[in-house]
Amino acid sequence: MKEKDFIKKAVDEAFEKKEQIRMKAVAAGRQQKVKRSFFMKKGLAITIIIAVIAVAGLTAMSAIYTPQKYDYGQPMKASAYSEVIDAIEEYYKKQNSFQFRDILGGVVTSDKAAPEMVNESAAPSSDYSQTNVQTNGMDEGDIVKNDDRYIYKITTQGCFIIETNNGALETKSSIVVENYVPQELYVQGDTLIMIGGIYEQRGFAYMSGIEPMMDCIGYLTYNKTDIRVYDISDRTAPSLERQITIDGGYYSSRIKEEGNKLYYMVNYSFSYGDEESYIPRITDTAKGETSTKIPVENIYIYGDVSYYSYLIVGEVALDEPEADSAMLAYLGLGGEIYVSTDNIYVATYDSYSRYDTNIFGWVKNSVDNAPSTRLVKIALSDLKHKATSRINGTVKDRYSLDEYNGYLRVAVTVSARTTFSNLYVLRPDLTVIGKVEKVAEGERIYSVRFNANKCVMVTFKNMDPYFIFDLTDPAKPFITGELKEDGVSHYIHYIEGTDYTVGIGMMSRVQHTPYGDRVEWTGLKVSLYDNSGSEAVNVKNIEIPGSCHAEIFYNPKALLYNKERGLIAFSYENWQYDDYYYYSSMTQGLAVFGFDLTQEDENKLAYKGTLTNLEEEVGTNDWYGYYADYLTFINRGIQIGDYIYTVSDKYIASYDIASLELVQRLDLTE
């Protein structure tokens, strides 16, 4: 019994020890699990904290937007067509990843000495009017040209040549080109140059190869510029001597009278994804009838652009019809173009300069940033890039730029939180040497005109401040004075050799309403200003009442001007409204003014009358009459000897310059 009790006791003790061991093992496991769980939770917490800090940091960094940085420098000269294709593809990849880039460049210095420049006011040398141009010695193309005997007028498919003889008119010949849209003409002695576009069928890339859909949804456009040079020594039988066709839409051109060379500027846009269209082509009959790609060594690539298209610049020696035409193509260049006697200046509007960017390339609009302008200088001598710069603000038009004695002067409007205007003077390397800033806060530029060491600037909001700038010292330009008056001048014309200017624009008055001041346009305004003192003096105002519009407001080539004759004229429309602002009638014609600066102030400027092709006013219920008469609307006025000739799409009419009585009307449609 004792043995049994002893064995039982031993077994119980063994089980008790085993249970103690198991319990210790379980307790140890639990303790290890608790420790492991603690460290795991601690690691996870640290990871979360790090992630939160990283996200917060990235969020903070993404919220930091700074103005965009600019890739300054000259354009890269392409050495292979593949470089051009790669540049285009790379650009569009960045666009698709929201990598917006700016379109403005930096500064390239030049050691070239500043040349002496001519006065920028053009004057006719004979008793007939010429196209009103910006730069003396640089002729500009227009829809109508004339010499001392003939009138040359663009038509829908070519041009007419009309002989004048003391007011008598006779059509001598016409040029008709199928599938052609003429845009401008030049006449240099016995040479006529016609520039236009060629129609071609266009469609959409995703429909290529689907002919029925192409026929239905395709469209006609003219994406080729065609330059035609004619021998008109026999005005009755013009003869085509040369034809140059370039890919792209015609933008502008000049003929430099010294050397008799034509300079043309063409914008070429291609279809992304169609590599065959990436390289523009040219056909020149002086070399043959075959279209060829522009040589790769003639292509330059800008890296700092907002979109990719070409500006093609070319030169044609008109006295050497068999000579090769020089040409360079700039990928990434375009904008407003001003041409001096030595250089082409391209002012490119940069809308992206209003945006700030963060480290991810995201952008946002900033009210503190004003749009900027990239300036590029190209020499006429070799058509090569010479300098690049960037200024704050935007130009209104090409008349906002002017070169004098090698210095470029630029007037811009700056629009950010507020609006004002700046005037910059830049050296030949386009670095800024002088400036006048924050002119007329709250207003924008309506017109600018430079003349030697003076500049006239007109701004407007409710009234017309007329500023005069002294630019004698390029490093220290300053405002000599200002004149405030009702109305605004859209165009300023210097009367060469004098201190007088003529302003053409709109008269206005301010209406005070419970909702604020409102500007009401009351009529056409022509003003004569005396700029001889520190402040301008309005010598005479002439107003033609009505709601008026004139092409001269935006196209100075619409002006007929002859200083020797004391003659100014331009076409306009005059819309009349009743007291409830309902349209009641409309007239259109050529407004004729005379000026004589030797007279008393009251008689220095006079309104002579309006020449019109309309038999009567177009009335309220005669909209059909308006459209039916549209082809009779006068587009240009010219002067040859003792006669003024009005030019419309349907008629050319002659008038006695003294009495303004009609002499003859030639119907071009007969």
Side-chain angles (χ1 to χ4, degrees), residues 417-456:
R417 287 186 179 272
T418 186
T419 300
F420 52 86
S421 297
N422 294 346
L423 188 145
Y424 297 96
V425 182
L426 297 92
R427 301 180 181 89
D429 64 1
L430 296 189
T431 55
V432 175
I433 185 175
K435 58 185 175 180
V436 180
E437 295 182 303
K438 294 192 174 179
V439 179
E441 292 197 39
E443 301 182 353
R444 64 182 180 88
I445 291 175
Y446 268 67
S447 59
V448 180
R449 196 64 194 263
F450 295 91
N451 185 43
N453 290 319
K454 278 190 175 181
C455 171
V456 170

Side-chain angles (χ1 to χ4, degrees), residues 262-525:
L262 169 71
Y263 296 92
Y264 60 85
M265 287 131 272
V266 172
N267 287 323
Y268 175 61
S269 299
F270 46 82
S271 300
Y272 177 63
D274 179 11
E275 292 189 3
E276 285 296 317
S277 70
Y278 287 179
I279 311 299
R281 305 180 72 88
I282 180 174
T283 305
D284 186 349
T285 56
K287 298 180 179 179
E289 301 292 337
T290 304
S291 170
T292 60
K293 291 181 178 180
I294 292 179
V296 67
E297 62 270 18
N298 290 4
I299 298 177
Y300 289 80
I301 304 170
Y302 285 92
D304 54 332
V305 294
S306 64
Y307 59 89
Y308 261 154
S309 64
Y310 289 89
L311 177 66
I312 302 172
V313 183
E315 172 196 285
V316 180
L318 298 175
D319 291 336
E320 304 173 43
E322 301 302 321
D324 290 346
S325 60
M327 175 192 293
L328 291 180
Y330 291 94
L331 178 60
L333 186 59
E336 197 68 52
I337 294 178
Y338 157 67
V339 185
S340 71
T341 55
D342 290 320
N343 299 292
I344 298 171
Y345 291 93
V346 185
T348 305
Y349 171 73
D350 173 20
S351 60
Y352 288 158
S353 57
R354 298 201 70 144
Y355 296 91
D356 288 339
T357 182
N358 65 9
I359 60 173
F360 301 111
W362 302 343
V363 297
K364 73 171 184 178
N365 190 15
S366 173
V367 295
D368 295 319
N369 296 344
S372 301
T373 297
R374 178 183 67 175
L375 298 171
V376 169
K377 177 180 179 179
I378 296 172
L380 289 178
S381 58
D382 58 8
L383 305 183
K384 291 185 178 180
H385 171 108
K386 299 301 177 184
T388 308
S389 186
R390 175 177 175 264
I391 55 176
N392 287 331
T394 57
V395 300
K396 177 182 178 289
D397 53 33
R398 61 189 173 97
Y399 278 77
S400 298
L401 298 94
D402 177 82
E403 186 183 86
Y404 184 70
N405 287 343
Y407 293 96
L408 178 67
R409 294 88 67 87
V410 186
V412 296
T413 294
V414 180
S415 298
R417 287 186 179 272
T418 186
T419 300
F420 52 86
S421 297
N422 294 346
L423 188 145
Y424 297 96
V425 182
L426 297 92
R427 301 180 181 89
D429 64 1
L430 296 189
T431 55
V432 175
I433 185 175
K435 58 185 175 180
V436 180
E437 295 182 303
K438 294 192 174 179
V439 179
E441 292 197 39
E443 301 182 353
R444 64 182 180 88
I445 291 175
Y446 268 67
S447 59
V448 180
R449 196 64 194 263
F450 295 91
N451 185 43
N453 290 319
K454 278 190 175 181
C455 171
V456 170
M457 178 191 293
V458 173
T459 62
F460 185 82
K461 183 178 181 181
N462 292 329
M463 297 190 73
D464 173 6
Y466 180 105
F467 296 96
I468 298 178
F469 293 79
D470 187 320
L471 308 176
T472 304
D473 183 352
K476 298 178 180 179
F478 64 94
I479 298 174
T480 64
E482 67 175 286
L483 169 68
K484 289 190 175 182
E485 59 180 0
D486 290 330
V488 64
S489 294
H490 289 272
Y491 173 68
I492 297 290
H493 190 86
Y494 266 98
I495 300 176
E496 66 278 6
T498 75
D499 289 316
Y500 288 92
T501 56
V502 176
I504 302 172
M506 294 290 292
M507 182 57 78
S508 66
R509 62 170 174 251
V510 178
Q511 295 281 359
H512 303 288
T513 72
Y515 306 101
D517 291 346
R518 181 174 66 87
V519 174
E520 181 181 0
W521 303 109
T522 61
L524 189 70
K525 178 176 80 83

Side-chain angles (χ1 to χ4, degrees), residues 61 186 213 368 417 438 638:
M61 293 173 70
Y186 288 94
M213 294 191 70
D368 295 319
R417 287 186 179 272
K438 294 192 174 179
I638 61 175

Side-chain angles (χ1 to χ4, degrees), residues 641-662:
D642 294 329
Y643 299 89
I644 294 175
Y645 298 86
T646 61
V647 182
S648 68
D649 289 330
K650 185 174 182 179
Y651 298 120
I652 293 182
S654 58
Y655 297 83
D656 181 271
I657 200 170
S659 64
L660 298 187
E661 291 183 358
L662 176 66

Side-chain angles (χ1 to χ4, degrees), residues 574-595:
N574 190 337
W575 294 72
Q576 300 293 331
Y577 296 86
D578 60 23
D579 293 338
Y580 298 97
Y581 296 99
Y582 286 108
Y583 157 74
S584 60
S585 65
M586 188 279 298
T587 59
Q588 195 277 344
L590 185 80
V592 182
F593 301 84
F595 64 91

